[in-house]
Amino acid sequence: MDSTSPPASDGHSPTHVAELVARAAARVPDQPAIVDVSRKNTLTWFDLDSAVSAEATRLLAAGVSRGDRVVVRLANGAPFCVAVLGAMRAGAVAVPHGPIAVPRELRIVFDDCRPAVVVAAEGDEAATAAAAAVGAAVIAPPDVTTRSQAPSAEAPPSHSGGGEDIALLVYTSGTTGVPRGVRLSHRAVLANREQAGQLRPPLVAPVDRVLLSLPLFHVFGLAAGFLQVCWAGATVVLTDRFEPAHIAEVLVAERVSGVAGVPSMYRALLDLPPDELRAAMAGVRLCTSGGAPLPAKWLARFREATGLSIFEGYGLTEGGPVITTNPLDAAPKAGSVGRALPGVELRLVDTEGRPIDTPSEPDPDDIDEEVSDPSQDTGLVALRGPNLFSGYWPDGEGGPDADGWFRTADVGFLDTDGDLHLVDRSSDLVIVNGFNVYPREVEQVLLEIDGVTEAAVVGVADDRTGEAVKAVLVGSPELTEDTVRAHCAVRLARFKVPAVIQFVDELPRTPTGKVARRQLAAGA
């Protein structure tokens, strides 16, 4: 078998996510599965499989039954991975949740999903209080320091449940309202791993050592990151913090060959001295990015500094999560998130779900027209495939329609090559005097200005126009409002030119690296 290719099929397609660990343990038992940098702990695939079975047994002893929800509220590390997989092996639904969530957020999620058990760190008073309010037991993180213990004879089978049973209940960030639980079945999670695994060259090969500083409670870090490593039987290198100098050391010390991140992580690495960054990235073969748009300026700077491209993709929790990626065997197209994975159907539709069939090649000279409206050339991204979710918790409402299509809130267009370009989420629209303003279009224009390193655009209330465009910029001290407006005036229609301009030292972000737009709007 080619060492750069995923393991050949043994004729059995896994139907349960935890089977991936058993499969890797059978194939490469002594290969490192998890390198937990923060805890200075390494688990082989045999160790991990044993620990997952032990955790499943522990959860069953704590009263967990098939279909019960188990909330895992832990920082990045091997205990998090074992707890999530153990919950699934016990036949439960794993509910990953961030350790930084505040009590109000915890109460909303716990009240919605009604967990039977909460796995939380000692002294986590917020989790204890929220669990008590819904009658859930709180147990300590699994002990992952014991090595090479054979699974107990009482351990549940590695494929308890599976298929259409719900494996993960992932709560969306709630940027537009109350968080909603996305029901991801074993079928959906595994289908997306297989779809991503069909890419060539592979996103993750068995010989890879993949760095994950992404939060594992988010579906990007958990499914597209850790579970993709499980699919390939590779090695994941976990850190519980992202600090550029520390990451540079880890890249070298742990011989990292793959990096998965969000754009803000790659931007932070560019603050390292160029020689240091290039040396740190010398052993890396592949960098991937998702979760937020990757500015072309950052892509160019990273390539210049390291000689590596960053391959941008697009995904969403409801899709398991990976939907598209730039081809891995060619230079990525700046501004594009590429094409759908094998087995994923993608089309653009209007607000009624009717297909928009005509690809368009945008003319950058057109955006200064007085009433230019990208919605004339764009549509909502609609998806179909076995990777799609089973609707929202608890009853499956809002899932794919009778024909299997799910209409997202993401707005984009297809260029003449068939590559997808995202404009914005429809929920982020700013409507000025009845005209749609897509924040990303304005942000791209703002990033053209010398001295602007980051830009975010939101809508703020305006007595005359309903909403007005607010721009929040990070950049050099020499920037002025007049400079910004003068540049925008010749690049954008008048209604798109920012009416409010604010300069800040850094943009507020969510734990997954997305700009916290509601926080920016609230600061108007």
Side-chain angles (χ1 to χ4, degrees):
M1 180 180 66
D2 184 344
S3 63
T4 64
S5 300
S9 172
D10 58 4
H12 169 70
S13 296
T15 59
H16 190 291
V17 173
E19 277 189 81
L20 299 181
V21 180
R23 183 174 71 173
R27 189 175 65 86
V28 285
D30 298 325
Q31 177 175 303
I34 299 175
V35 177
D36 189 337
V37 173
S38 302
R39 294 167 182 78
K40 298 181 174 58
N41 187 29
T42 296
L43 297 180
T44 66
W45 282 107
F46 180 80
D47 294 332
L48 179 59
D49 189 44
S50 301
V52 168
S53 286
E55 177 67 359
T57 301
R58 186 175 77 121
L59 290 170
L60 292 171
V64 171
S65 299
R66 181 170 175 175
D68 280 350
R69 276 71 62 205
V70 174
V71 171
V72 180
R73 178 175 151 96
L74 299 171
N76 274 22
F80 179 99
C81 300
V82 170
V84 167
L85 288 166
M88 288 191 268
R89 186 166 283 182
V93 178
V95 187
H97 207 268
I100 62 174
V102 299
R104 181 191 65 82
E105 295 170 327
L106 281 178
R107 287 194 298 271
I108 292 172
V109 169
F110 283 29
D111 188 58
D112 188 57
C113 73
R114 296 282 165 167
V117 167
V118 176
V119 183
E122 184 178 356
D124 189 338
E125 296 179 0
T128 301
V134 296
V138 179
I139 63 175
D143 180 5
V144 297
T145 58
T146 303
R147 290 289 182 276
S148 300
Q149 297 297 312
S152 164
E154 289 78 31
S158 63
H159 52 277
S160 177
E164 292 302 320
D165 288 346
I166 304 304
L168 293 170
L169 183 61
V170 182
Y171 279 82
T172 57
S173 60
T175 55
T176 59
V178 177
R180 303 184 76 182
V182 176
R183 309 190 321 164
L184 289 172
S185 67
H186 290 268
R187 174 261 307 158
V189 174
L190 290 169
N192 199 229
R193 306 287 65 74
E194 183 173 13
Q195 290 162 346
Q198 291 179 30
L199 296 173
R200 294 294 182 273
L203 276 171
V204 181
V207 295
D208 275 329
R209 296 170 67 89
V210 179
L211 175 69
L212 281 182
S213 291
L214 294 163
L216 290 176
F217 65 82
H218 189 272
V219 72
F220 184 8
L222 176 57
F226 174 62
L227 293 181
Q228 199 67 45
V229 169
C230 291
W231 178 270
T235 301
V236 66
V237 179
L238 297 177
T239 69
D240 62 2
R241 62 189 174 95
F242 185 88
E243 196 280 318
H246 171 65
I247 294 300
E249 294 174 356
V250 171
L251 288 168
V252 175
E254 300 299 338
R255 308 186 312 282
V256 169
S257 59
V259 178
V262 294
S264 58
M265 290 180 174
Y266 292 109
R267 172 63 186 82
L269 288 172
L270 289 170
D271 289 334
L272 293 171
D275 290 347
E276 182 180 334
L277 177 58
R278 180 173 281 270
M281 302 296 294
V284 174
R285 74 168 182 89
L286 183 64
C287 296
T288 58
S289 178
L294 176 67
K297 184 186 299 186
W298 297 0
L299 172 61
R301 285 184 58 194
F302 192 83
R303 185 187 292 122
E304 180 181 359
T306 66
L308 293 169
S309 292
I310 302 173
F311 291 87
E312 186 176 7
Y314 158 62
L316 68 165
T317 305
E318 292 87 343
V322 186
I323 302 299
T324 72
T325 184
N326 271 270
L328 304 180
D329 57 356
K333 183 186 294 185
S336 167
V337 293
R339 302 177 189 180
L341 299 186
V344 176
E345 294 180 73
L346 183 153
R347 69 185 185 188
L348 301 180
V349 300
D350 61 20
T351 55
E352 301 300 319
R354 294 179 295 242
I356 298 171
D357 296 320
T358 306
S360 61
E361 188 67 61
D363 184 348
D365 295 330
D366 285 345
I367 65 173
D368 62 349
E369 292 180 359
E370 185 66 21
V371 291
S372 169
D373 186 354
S375 66
Q376 296 172 357
D377 303 313
T378 61
L380 295 171
V381 177
L383 307 167
R384 184 164 66 178
N387 55 302
L388 291 182
F389 73 135
S390 302
Y392 297 101
W393 183 265
D395 56 6
E397 180 185 2
D401 65 20
D403 294 322
W405 287 98
F406 173 65
R407 188 168 70 246
T408 75
D410 294 312
V411 181
F413 64 85
L414 297 170
D415 64 24
T416 52
D417 294 325
D419 293 323
L420 178 65
H421 297 248
L422 294 177
V423 177
D424 257 307
R425 289 186 65 83
S426 59
S427 55
D428 290 334
L429 275 177
V430 183
I431 303 177
V432 180
N433 278 333
F435 291 109
N436 291 347
V437 179
Y438 291 88
R440 190 175 182 191
E441 180 193 11
V442 182
E443 289 165 359
Q444 289 173 330
V445 171
L446 291 167
L447 286 169
E448 297 170 354
I449 302 171
D450 289 340
V452 173
T453 56
E454 293 188 80
V457 167
V458 294
V460 293
D462 186 279
D463 290 337
R464 294 181 297 105
T465 61
E467 283 188 299
V469 176
K470 175 184 177 181
V472 183
L473 305 175
V474 178
S476 64
E478 293 77 19
L479 287 169
T480 67
E481 292 187 22
D482 289 343
T483 300
V484 173
R485 286 200 177 91
H487 177 84
C488 292
V490 297
R491 300 287 290 139
L492 295 167
R494 279 203 300 266
F495 66 89
K496 299 178 184 178
V497 175
V500 180
I501 298 172
Q502 180 183 1
F503 299 101
V504 297
D505 293 331
E506 61 181 11
L507 296 177
R509 295 185 180 276
T510 69
T512 55
K514 294 182 180 180
V515 174
R517 293 185 185 273
R518 286 206 300 171
Q519 187 174 334
L520 293 178

